[in-house]
Amino acid sequence: MSNPSLGIETSVLLKKESTPGTRVALTTGAVHCDLVDESLDYIPVLTDLPVLTGNRQRRATMDFVSHNDGGGSFTIRPRSAQMDQLLELILGKANVGAWEPITDDATDLPQFTVEVNKAGQDKVALVGCKVNTARFTSEENSPLLCELAVIAMSGERNSAQTSFSPTQLDDENPYMHSGLAFSGSSSWLDDGTASGNPEVRSFEFTINNNLEIDVFTNATTRRIIPVGLFTLEGSFVIPYNATTKGFWTDMIAAAKVKFTSTWTDNSGSTLAIDFVVKLDGELPKISGPENQWLTINFHGVADTTDTVAISAENTE
């Protein structure tokens, strides 16, 4: 028997579709992902119909494909040149150089084609994809990660795909956690230094479009992927001290808190994300003499003054 395939030939490429639901060519303008992991697939779903006539075995003719289901997730280390397209797919709306969530159900999320090469063996194209969730994670000594969970309308198996060279990722480095600046309008977000930039050990947030996944109409593939309520949730870990304890005042007052996280890569490109949130959580539980770190949870909110919970701007 031959050796198993190494995963080093695995690739994921994606691009916004000019006609939603129709596969688009990825030869130019596609996002070539710096892939960490993937679980994308386009699978047949079997329907096993029970019958009264027969014997104790399953009837082959009553076990057949009822529909096809495409989707999954993949984690990438995004680059500055890719961020505008990624933010458009995640949020959907451009507003004076920034990307914001679509706030009504009259405008649909952008759809895109994804091409997946699994270890150089199987190739799958997912068509008419929408982003269900996007989870961004930034941790000490590590690059910024983005995990995208997507739902597809249809797909193709082992069809021709766009060639991909890993050297296409060499022009830019990923955003590192050491390049993260963190500032806000509340005093507890200021560590008292000249920069006013608190020490953030880790920071993560999830954008959720709450797509209605299990919707199949009179077809063997999805014809619509309805959007749900937009939600934003996240947390950050900072030192617990005389300054940061001020978060408790904002939390118990259910005060609106605004802050900005800005990543800068080695070329000087920036990704700046503005948040409007309210806080969740409780005081730390002290269980020893060690240094105390504070985990603060938050969820996005909006009102007539701050009309969106999140706004992202990519500057190259």
Side-chain angles (χ1 to χ4, degrees):
M1 296 181 66
S2 60
N3 289 326
S5 298
L6 292 173
I8 54 177
E9 290 188 60
T10 302
S11 62
V12 170
L13 285 71
L14 58 94
K15 183 180 177 181
K16 179 184 174 182
E17 295 168 349
S18 53
T19 302
T22 300
R23 184 175 179 177
V24 67
L26 274 61
T27 50
T28 60
V31 172
H32 294 236
C33 297
D34 182 4
L35 194 62
V36 177
D37 58 57
E38 64 84 24
S39 62
L40 298 168
D41 207 348
Y42 185 58
I43 60 174
V45 180
L46 297 179
T47 291
D48 182 15
L49 297 178
V51 294
L52 295 179
T53 303
N55 56 36
R56 294 178 59 238
Q57 303 175 92
R58 295 171 67 170
R59 293 277 298 278
T61 56
M62 294 297 177
D63 193 348
F64 54 88
V65 176
S66 64
H67 60 286
N68 293 279
D69 193 5
S73 66
F74 56 99
T75 304
I76 64 176
R77 293 176 285 253
R79 304 294 202 272
S80 177
Q82 305 170 340
M83 283 309 305
D84 277 321
Q85 187 166 177
L86 290 172
L87 290 170
E88 181 180 7
L89 299 178
I90 294 167
L91 296 170
K93 180 182 178 182
N95 185 10
V96 194
W99 297 103
E100 299 178 348
I102 296 170
T103 57
D104 57 67
D105 58 1
T107 306
D108 206 359
L109 280 172
Q111 293 176 240
F112 55 101
T113 295
V114 179
E115 292 184 0
V116 189
N117 182 338
K118 287 182 175 283
Q121 301 304 311
D122 285 293
K123 298 178 180 179
V124 177
L126 299 178
V127 182
C129 295
K130 289 183 182 179
V131 172
N132 189 24
T133 63
R135 182 174 187 263
F136 290 83
T137 306
S138 186
E139 297 179 335
E140 54 188 330
N141 306 321
S142 300
L144 175 67
L145 300 180
C146 176
E147 180 185 4
L148 295 174
V150 304
I151 305 299
M153 294 180 69
S154 62
E156 300 176 18
R157 302 181 181 97
N158 291 322
S159 60
Q161 288 201 336
T162 308
S163 60
F164 169 72
S165 171
T167 59
Q168 294 174 275
L169 295 167
D170 293 345
D171 291 339
E172 295 180 314
N173 285 345
Y175 299 100
M176 293 298 294
H177 186 71
S178 57
L180 170 61
F182 194 87
S183 59
S185 59
S186 297
S187 60
W188 56 268
L189 287 166
D190 188 339
D191 66 355
T193 64
S195 66
N197 182 26
E199 292 88 357
V200 180
R201 192 169 188 176
S202 65
F203 175 49
E204 66 84 19
F205 61 93
T206 299
I207 296 167
N208 195 338
N209 287 308
N210 282 294
L211 302 180
E212 193 169 351
I213 297 173
D214 296 321
V215 174
F216 287 88
T217 54
N218 50 324
T220 57
T221 57
R222 290 185 177 90
R223 298 171 65 183
I224 56 172
I225 307 176
V227 298
L229 293 176
F230 178 88
T231 60
L232 166 69
E233 295 183 336
S235 66
F236 42 88
V237 177
I238 56 180
Y240 183 47
N241 54 38
T243 299
T244 60
K245 72 176 185 179
F247 91 96
W248 187 247
T249 301
D250 285 336
M251 202 200 77
I252 60 178
K256 185 174 64 174
V257 175
K258 295 190 284 187
F259 63 89
T260 301
S261 60
T262 303
W263 287 267
T264 303
D265 68 11
N266 65 320
S267 66
S269 299
T270 60
L271 170 63
I273 305 181
D274 298 325
F275 296 84
V276 182
V277 305
K278 291 195 175 184
L279 307 178
D280 305 295
E282 52 190 29
L283 291 174
K285 304 296 189 294
I286 309 300
S287 58
E290 298 83 8
N291 294 321
Q292 301 300 311
W293 296 88
L294 179 66
T295 299
I296 300 179
N297 302 311
F298 60 83
H299 61 270
V301 296
D303 55 25
T304 54
T305 302
D306 299 292
T307 56
V308 291
I310 185 172
S311 177
E313 183 174 358
N314 176 51
T315 303
E316 293 187 64

